[in-house]
Amino acid sequence: MSLKPVTRSASRDMSLRSSTKERSLVDLTRIERQICALAEAFRASDRFCSMDELIEWLQLRITSSLRPRADDIKALFSDPAYRICISEFLKNEDVHSVFVFYRRSKGALAASLTPPPALQSKCLCFAKLGTVSKLTAENIASNVITVDCTKFPLRYIGQVLHQVYLPLLCADSGISNSSAYSAEKIMDILHRFTGNLEVIAGHSEGFIVLPMPSLDILGNSAASDRWGAVIHVMETAVIGWIKQIKIVLKHDPFLELKTWGPKPGIYREKEMWEAHIHDLQSITEQLSSPKAREIFCSLEEANSTYGHSFRAVRKDVTKALAAAEENNTYLGTLVVYYDLLKSEKSNGKKQTHFLPMLHTLLLVWTHSR
């Protein structure tokens, strides 16, 4: 079979079809790239819109709680460092909280992923719930809680617990009845928690606090045939009191003076006894309060063994207070001469105070127990 020679026109047609096919492939590639770029732009636009909506949600709550000026809000979200903190909270699943507060130095708003060391006024905390994985404009309201904190957060939390959660959760209502725990169990847990919170708050400020149960709630519970649970809450409170009081009663003056160094001196000793007297007086005042007396009477009526323990501890506190005040009184008679010795400049005048000081020391030794 003989092959026909390819004519010039046929060759031109083949070349034209080949170039058309190549142009089509180039056009398809260009169109595909444009589609990918548009899709990426749409995705970026969605991310920006979502982030703007989340920031707007935060901004609304910051404005309603802290009531800043418009310039302060603008400066907060314009500052690169603060914006990074807020973005990390919104985008990073491992970041669970962010704090917005007024800076003490300049009075402007600031944001931090850790609690501020000190507050000028109120602080706003945004905290994620444990079940949230990614925040969106649709789920942020149900997965982020907003908590206000004052300059004294422990006191503030205690007030919220006493005034809101205790009355709400411990009452005979559908909330307690529909939960997995009984109203008695909820009442016990909340009173334990609020008691521990009050103790910690007192220690942070240098005070001995004996947490008092909410007698209003306990009274309502007693009227609703839950007297056993009420007595249990009171006994738990008294047990906590006794533990704290026994720590104060174990006061060892020699061991405490060693913390001031090898030679603490009489002034350190007087400060020590005054601080110990202050703690014992505070305990006595709290045990003599109307609420404590009511709890004591209720335990006595219920024939609780902790009522007798409570009475014994009160006697120990009274005895320890009398001994501490006596020590401080005798010590004060010697401090007078130490003051005179410090005020005199010449050795001759200082020597005139030694004899009466030694005589006073003899009287202290003779009459003290």
Side-chain angles (χ1 to χ4, degrees):
M1 182 177 64
S2 62
L3 297 175
K4 295 182 179 181
V6 179
T7 62
R8 185 175 299 176
S9 60
S11 176
R12 189 183 303 111
D13 292 340
M14 291 176 63
S15 176
L16 182 61
R17 285 196 298 270
S18 177
S19 61
T20 302
K21 185 176 181 181
E22 290 177 357
R23 285 198 300 271
S24 299
L25 291 175
V26 171
D27 292 339
L28 287 174
T29 303
R30 186 184 300 113
I31 292 172
E32 183 179 0
R33 290 176 180 175
Q34 291 176 353
I35 292 174
C36 292
L38 286 173
E40 183 63 27
F42 279 123
R43 284 195 294 268
S45 176
D46 290 339
R47 286 197 298 269
F48 284 126
C49 291
S50 177
M51 182 61 67
D52 289 340
E53 291 174 353
L54 296 177
I55 290 177
E56 184 179 355
W57 187 88
L58 294 178
Q59 181 177 340
L60 179 63
R61 278 141 187 86
I62 294 171
T63 303
S64 63
S65 178
L66 301 180
R67 300 188 181 279
R69 298 175 302 176
D71 294 339
D72 293 336
I73 283 285
K74 185 177 180 181
L76 173 67
F77 288 98
S78 300
D79 188 282
Y82 300 151
R83 192 173 181 88
I84 288 175
C85 292
I86 295 173
S87 299
E88 282 294 308
F89 171 73
L90 295 174
K91 295 189 299 183
N92 193 340
E93 298 178 5
D94 296 327
V95 177
H96 299 285
S97 60
V98 65
F99 300 86
V100 180
F101 53 93
Y102 281 103
R103 287 181 294 177
R104 298 189 66 181
S105 57
K106 299 181 179 179
L109 284 177
S112 174
L113 298 179
T114 57
L119 291 176
Q120 181 183 8
S121 58
K122 190 165 65 171
C123 171
L124 191 61
C125 172
F126 295 96
K128 297 177 184 176
L129 298 179
T131 56
V132 65
S133 58
K134 181 181 179 181
L135 291 178
T136 62
E138 290 75 20
N139 69 5
I140 187 172
S142 57
N143 288 284
V144 174
I145 60 174
T146 307
V147 181
D148 292 342
C149 295
T150 60
K151 294 178 67 175
F152 304 100
L154 293 177
R155 290 186 189 175
Y156 176 77
I157 295 174
Q159 291 177 354
V160 172
L161 286 172
H162 276 287
Q163 298 176 11
V164 179
Y165 289 102
L166 274 173
L168 183 64
L169 297 178
C170 295
D172 276 330
S173 62
I175 296 178
S176 59
N177 294 331
S178 61
S179 63
Y181 297 97
S182 63
E184 292 83 358
K185 186 66 175 178
I186 294 175
M187 182 170 60
D188 181 39
I189 293 174
L190 279 178
H191 276 94
R192 286 174 184 267
F193 180 70
T194 54
N196 291 333
L197 190 66
E198 290 179 21
V199 171
I200 295 172
H203 287 177
S204 66
E205 299 176 12
F207 299 107
I208 302 295
V209 177
L210 305 180
M212 300 289 173
S214 179
L215 296 181
D216 295 335
I217 295 175
L218 295 181
N220 295 333
S221 300
S224 60
D225 298 331
R226 291 191 297 196
W227 181 244
V230 171
I231 293 298
H232 177 69
V233 171
M234 291 182 179
E235 289 177 340
T236 303
V238 170
I239 292 172
W241 299 352
I242 293 174
K243 288 181 179 179
Q244 286 198 85
I245 292 171
K246 285 186 175 180
I247 293 175
V248 177
L249 293 177
K250 288 181 179 179
H251 176 252
D252 187 346
F254 298 103
L255 185 61
E256 186 171 345
L257 284 174
K258 288 182 179 179
T259 60
W260 296 98
K263 297 179 180 180
I266 191 172
Y267 293 103
R268 295 296 188 187
E269 186 175 357
K270 187 169 178 58
E271 290 178 10
M272 176 200 67
W273 284 113
E274 288 175 349
H276 186 54
I277 290 171
H278 179 269
D279 290 340
L280 292 172
Q281 287 177 342
S282 175
I283 291 173
T284 302
E285 291 176 1
Q286 294 179 72
L287 294 180
S288 302
S289 65
K291 286 186 176 181
R293 288 199 299 266
E294 185 174 348
I295 291 173
F296 175 70
C297 293
S298 299
L299 294 179
E300 288 285 327
E301 292 176 0
N303 294 323
S304 173
T305 56
Y306 292 102
H308 304 290
S309 302
F310 183 70
R311 188 188 298 110
V313 167
R314 289 189 63 176
K315 291 181 179 179
D316 292 338
V317 171
T318 303
K319 183 179 178 181
L321 179 58
E325 289 177 341
E326 183 181 17
N327 289 338
N328 192 50
T329 300
Y330 285 123
L331 197 61
T333 60
L334 295 173
V335 170
V336 174
Y337 292 101
Y338 274 84
D339 292 336
L340 292 174
L341 289 173
K342 288 178 63 177
S343 63
E344 299 292 353
K345 295 182 179 179
S346 64
N347 292 331
K349 290 184 178 180
K350 288 183 179 180
Q351 290 177 1
T352 60
H353 300 299
F354 280 114
L355 184 59
M357 183 177 66
L358 292 175
H359 180 68
T360 303
L361 182 60
L362 175 62
L363 293 175
V364 170
W365 178 263
T366 303
H367 296 283
S368 62
R369 288 177 290 179

